[in-house]
Amino acid sequence: MAPTNSNSPSPAVTASSSPKPVEDQTAAPLDAAIIFKQTCTSCHGVDLEGRMIGPNLQKVGARLTEDKIIHQITNGGERMPSFKDKLNEQEIKALVAWLADKK
């Protein structure tokens, strides 16, 4: 019975501390993927492959800094509309982090 008691606290401590960081790390990409799907796929494609209207974004993080991605999403440019009135600051930040990771 002693091993059961000593094993019980360890998994409980591990279980309670492990899920929180994992949830925090996966929440932004999940939200950003949903935001992208709802807002960007009509021009940039489901797989970020680009279409006639929007460019390929599959490796956008290798081409643009986060600041430039924020600027593009917020202000638009050329054929891209501004999304500052369509997405809030948190949505833009999540989307930018997700896109900047595409390298």
Side-chain angles (χ1 to χ4, degrees), residues 45-60:
V46 176
D47 295 320
L48 293 88
E49 73 276 10
R51 295 190 173 199
M52 293 180 75
I53 297 171
N56 182 309
L57 298 178
Q58 291 173 338
K59 295 184 180 183
V60 69

Side-chain angles (χ1 to χ4, degrees), residues 48 56-69 96-103:
L48 293 88
N56 182 309
L57 298 178
Q58 291 173 338
K59 295 184 180 183
V60 69
R63 295 189 318 263
L64 299 176
T65 65
E66 285 191 28
D67 287 340
K68 288 183 180 183
I69 298 170
V96 168
W98 185 74
L99 288 168
D101 231 15
K102 309 295 179 200
K103 297 184 181 187

Side-chain angles (χ1 to χ4, degrees), residues 11-81:
V13 171
T14 304
S16 65
S17 61
S18 293
K20 290 179 185 176
V22 171
E23 287 174 16
D24 291 345
Q25 291 172 1
T26 59
L30 178 62
D31 292 344
I34 291 169
I35 294 165
F36 183 87
K37 182 178 180 182
Q38 294 172 342
T39 314
C40 311
T41 56
S42 62
C43 295
H44 294 287
V46 176
D47 295 320
L48 293 88
E49 73 276 10
R51 295 190 173 199
M52 293 180 75
I53 297 171
N56 182 309
L57 298 178
Q58 291 173 338
K59 295 184 180 183
V60 69
R63 295 189 318 263
L64 299 176
T65 65
E66 285 191 28
D67 287 340
K68 288 183 180 183
I69 298 170
I70 287 171
H71 180 78
Q72 186 72 24
I73 292 170
T74 304
N75 301 309
E78 294 186 31
R79 296 179 285 177
M80 182 170 166

